[in-house]
Amino acid sequence: MKRKAILLAALILSGCSREFVEEHVYQVDYTTTNRFANNLAPLPGQFTKDTVAFDQLMNSFSGQVKRYWGDDDALVASKRQYVKYTDGYQSRAHVDFERGVVIVETVAKTEPTAHLRQAIATTLLTPEDPAGVDLYSDSDIKLDGKPFLYGQILDQEGKPIEWSWRANRFAEYLVNAKVHTRNERYHKVWYVEIPMVADHADKRGYKYASIVRDAARRYGIAEDLIYAIIKTESSFNPYAVSHANAYGLMQVVPNTAGADVFKLVKNKPGKPSPEYLFDPARNIDIGTAYFYLLRNRYLKDVSNPTSLHYSMISAYNGGTGGVLKTFNADRKRAMNDLNRLQPNQVYWALTNKHPKAEARRYLQKVTAFQKEFQQGKL
């Protein structure tokens, strides 16, 4: 049932020589088509928002949330915010990966501390596998396997939480010693705030070291770039979803990047499902394979390796078309103009003149995170 629920949410809510290896091992088709005329007019980018589908989801799901939490206190999961409702929408867990804090709350009118205690224990034991958690309902979570937050939260004794007895004991401690309340317009909220350890992002990132290493080798993409993209896109949140219909660690959009990788790299029909993309290994594989396509198909005419690197990062967020429009409205001339510039000039243009402000900031963030990784930090 939970797999079906995830798929349903997807429907509503709608990444020898080198040439020999590329063409024969990965079966990448470099033939020019009308869709990719002269390799200068590819898709607008993997982040193509499906506004209608997203609005349908929000109208359905948020209606239930607002019934209990009101218009001003409703939260929905996003790229760096895990939000899961349980207990008939009366309780919720909110993991803020940017602030490094876990907030567990309830609006239950009877025995609120009992509801809160159960919600805390459930949050602490939520598993690593996103396939078992439906973020768009109040369905129960199957508490099986190592917890997602293991090592990122420590109990009152400074111990990581893996087993139910420790989670329940910590929940009891929090309810007795750390409960806060606040009054919203139509309801009272009982909540606790649990700080995450200082290096919580690193702990999440290290989980995927072997997967990143394998993907880097498979597609010839630098490990530090993969890590930087994951940190920028999701802060290593495998439950990440976004309004752009993107899923998982590298925020892959099924209809664009996912479909392209299936067709051009995997030689498979169709597109990856959200369930497929919530699997960390598959998500990182698809996201890295999309960088492979950016380098070897969509942007292969960029002559300088460093300029190509900057262009790939920018295109992952704003599309190849956005990269080219930065340099010239005529896409064929744009490639020539780009190739006449030094890499530092290409970087300046993409971070100052790109048509989309988000893409300008994106390149700055990713390159900064790359430097952190090169210095031994995720």
Side-chain angles (χ1 to χ4, degrees), residues 37-59:
N38 298 321
N39 297 302
L40 294 180
L43 289 167
Q46 76 129 333
F47 292 110
T48 303
K49 180 179 177 181
D50 186 347
T51 305
V52 175
F54 180 69
D55 289 344
Q56 288 175 341
L57 172 65
M58 290 301 99
N59 289 337

Side-chain angles (χ1 to χ4, degrees), residues 97-307:
F97 295 104
E98 292 186 304
R99 289 176 53 212
V101 64
V102 178
I103 305 132
V104 186
E105 307 170 284
T106 188
V107 292
K109 290 182 170 58
T110 60
E111 299 184 341
T113 56
H115 288 265
L116 184 60
R117 186 184 302 109
Q118 181 59 47
I120 293 169
T122 298
T123 303
L124 296 173
L125 296 172
T126 295
E128 288 183 321
D129 183 6
V133 180
D134 180 7
L135 296 177
Y136 297 101
S137 78
D138 66 331
S139 62
D140 292 337
I141 300 171
K142 184 178 180 181
L143 305 179
D144 186 24
K146 180 168 285 191
F148 165 51
L149 294 172
Y150 179 77
Q152 299 174 58
I153 290 176
L154 303 179
D155 68 7
Q156 71 274 28
E157 297 177 346
K159 304 291 186 181
I161 301 160
E162 183 172 5
W163 310 110
S164 60
W165 67 267
R166 188 177 288 278
N168 288 321
R169 191 176 69 171
F170 188 39
E172 184 71 28
Y173 164 79
L174 291 170
V175 167
N176 290 334
K178 301 292 183 179
V179 168
H180 302 279
T181 61
R182 70 174 188 275
N183 292 313
E184 296 294 336
R185 187 173 182 182
Y186 298 114
H187 58 270
K188 184 175 183 178
V189 182
W190 300 68
Y191 69 98
V192 296
E193 293 190 357
I194 312 169
M196 302 175 76
V197 297
D199 60 344
H200 61 90
D202 291 351
K203 290 186 180 298
R204 289 194 302 280
Y206 287 131
K207 293 180 183 179
Y208 311 114
S210 62
I211 299 174
V212 169
R213 184 166 54 250
D214 290 345
R217 291 172 178 170
R218 187 177 305 122
Y219 299 110
I221 302 298
E223 287 184 48
D224 58 5
L225 175 57
I226 301 172
Y227 270 116
I229 292 294
I230 296 173
K231 187 167 184 178
T232 303
E233 291 293 348
S234 66
S235 192
F236 300 102
N237 171 22
Y239 288 90
V241 294
S242 81
H243 66 280
N245 188 26
Y247 298 89
L249 292 165
M250 294 187 75
Q251 284 292 276
V252 177
V253 177
N255 290 337
T256 50
D260 276 6
V261 169
F262 264 31
K263 178 182 179 181
L264 300 173
V265 179
K266 303 293 185 182
N267 197 25
K268 295 172 60 174
K271 61 186 179 182
S273 66
E275 183 179 41
Y276 185 102
L277 292 172
F278 274 134
D279 178 89
R282 288 172 168 173
N283 187 280
I284 292 173
D285 176 77
I286 295 291
T288 307
Y290 189 67
F291 266 103
Y292 171 85
L293 287 176
L294 289 172
R295 184 191 66 197
N296 297 295
R297 183 183 178 98
Y298 304 156
L299 291 166
K300 70 173 186 176
D301 293 327
V302 178
S303 56
N304 184 282
T306 305
S307 296

